[in-house]
């Protein structure tokens, strides 16, 4: 065979070799990705979530990690009947079957009551609404102080004998006093005060002949009832 014909076949050989090499490289990459994905997702593997409630924090973390799970303490609450630093809740229920590496979020019990921001209830809610909201936030000691005003309407909130505003941080073991209306209204008309269940107005009856004889200390309403006197008929 002539050398020139041999040289003509060399470029075709290199092209074929390159194509074959690229196919082999693609196959290797696909296989590597597949096995890496299987390893990352723990395909076919599972673990059972242990129950760590009521265990102290360090023990709970050790148990969960030994089971192949990740742990994160994400919240704190306060329950007076339980010991401090124990687990109150776990995000994955005990007995669940999950893949290794899943994160379990833990809620631990604080050593002292936690402060909460007082909600906007003063002059913004009824007594029952305020009591229900405060109870749901963990405030167990809610008292009522009555005053004249709209029935069961919350006019103010007191803590330690002083009025507090919305946003004030209060411990859940403190006593909260709601200043609530008793349904009796006080209204003043030209210096006169009327007290009753519903005080709409106060009025006076004045003889027409007495209008010019009123003294400086006499109180007359804006709209008094004036009794007009009929002139006597001459006999």
């Amino acid at each position: 065979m002539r050398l020139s014909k041999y040289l003509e076949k060399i470029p075709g050989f290199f092209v074929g070799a390159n194509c074959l090499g690229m196919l082999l490289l693609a196959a290797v990459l696909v296989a590597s990705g597949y096995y890496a994905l299987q390893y990352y997702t723990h395909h076919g593997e599972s673990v059972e979530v242990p129950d760590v409630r009521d265990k102290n924090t360090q023990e709970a973390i050790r148990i969960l990690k030994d089971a192949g799970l990740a742990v994160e303490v994400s919240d704190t609450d306060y329950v007076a009947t339980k010991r401090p630093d124990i687990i109150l809740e776990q995000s994955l229920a005990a007995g669940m079957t999950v893949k290794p590496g899943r994160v379990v979020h833990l809620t631990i019990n604080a050593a002292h009551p936690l402060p909460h921001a007082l909600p906007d209830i003063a002059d913004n809610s009824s007594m029952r609404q305020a009591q229900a909201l405060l109870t749901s936030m963990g405030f167990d000691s809610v008292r009522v102080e009555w005053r004249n005003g709209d029935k069961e309407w919350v006019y103010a909130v007191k803590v330690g004998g002083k009025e507090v505003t919305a946003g004030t941080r209060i411990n859940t073991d403190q006593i909260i006093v709601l200043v609530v209306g008793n349904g009796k209204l006080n209204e003043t008309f030209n210096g006169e005060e009327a007290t009753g269940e519903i005080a709409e107005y106060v009025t006076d009856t004045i003889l027409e002949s007495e209008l010019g004889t009123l003294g400086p200390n006499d109180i007359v309403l804006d709209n008094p009832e004036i009794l007009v006197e009929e002139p006597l008929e001459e006999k």
Side-chain angles (χ1 to χ4, degrees):
M1 181 181 294
R2 293 182 180 182
L3 181 60
S4 60
K5 291 184 178 181
Y6 177 76
L7 294 175
E8 289 176 358
K9 295 181 179 181
I10 291 177
F13 172 78
F14 279 115
V15 171
N18 286 337
C19 291
L20 180 61
M22 286 188 291
L23 290 174
L24 290 174
L25 179 61
V28 170
L29 291 176
V30 170
S32 300
Y34 173 78
Y35 286 110
L37 184 62
Q38 297 294 308
Y39 175 79
Y40 179 76
T41 59
H42 301 283
H43 181 69
E45 299 179 30
S46 62
V47 296
E48 184 176 321
V49 179
D51 189 355
V52 295
R53 290 171 299 176
D54 292 331
K55 299 184 182 300
N56 66 61
T57 304
Q58 290 186 349
E59 183 183 5
I61 293 174
R62 178 185 59 77
I63 292 173
L64 291 170
K65 287 187 174 180
D66 288 345
L69 299 166
V71 186
E72 183 176 332
V73 178
S74 58
D75 200 3
T76 305
D77 205 346
Y78 177 73
V79 178
T81 57
K82 292 184 178 291
R83 303 189 315 275
D85 197 42
I86 66 167
I87 305 302
L88 297 175
E89 297 291 340
Q90 58 187 79
S91 61
L92 298 180
M96 284 183 61
T97 301
V98 299
K99 293 183 181 297
R102 284 285 299 275
V103 179
V104 182
H105 298 273
L106 302 178
T107 301
I108 64 174
N109 193 34
H112 304 285
L114 301 175
H116 291 279
L118 181 70
D120 187 13
I121 54 179
D123 209 23
N124 194 40
S125 61
S126 68
M127 180 182 69
R128 294 183 181 181
Q129 290 172 332
Q131 288 174 326
L133 179 57
L134 292 172
T135 300
S136 69
M137 296 176 63
F139 293 101
D140 296 324
S141 301
V142 180
R143 307 287 187 267
V144 175
E145 177 184 305
W146 299 99
R147 56 158 280 186
N148 289 346
D150 294 330
K151 188 174 182 180
E152 296 191 358
W153 183 252
V154 178
Y155 285 94
V157 180
K158 293 182 179 179
V159 175
K162 297 181 180 179
E163 287 193 15
V164 292
T165 58
T168 303
R169 299 191 68 81
I170 305 170
N171 289 339
T172 53
D173 62 343
Q174 291 183 276
I175 298 176
I176 295 180
V177 178
L178 302 178
V179 181
V180 181
N182 57 12
K184 297 180 180 180
L185 304 181
N186 287 342
E187 295 188 10
T188 302
F189 298 87
N190 291 345
E192 289 192 358
E193 183 178 273
T195 301
E197 293 295 330
I198 301 178
E200 295 182 353
Y201 62 88
V202 178
T203 187
D204 283 343
T205 300
I206 302 174
L207 295 176
E208 183 181 25
S209 59
E210 295 178 351
L211 288 176
T213 62
L214 294 175
N217 295 325
D218 293 325
I219 298 174
V220 181
L221 302 185
D222 290 336
N223 298 300
E225 293 182 1
I226 300 174
L227 182 61
V228 178
E229 298 173 284
E230 296 291 337
L232 296 176
E233 294 182 0
E234 295 182 359
K235 295 182 180 181

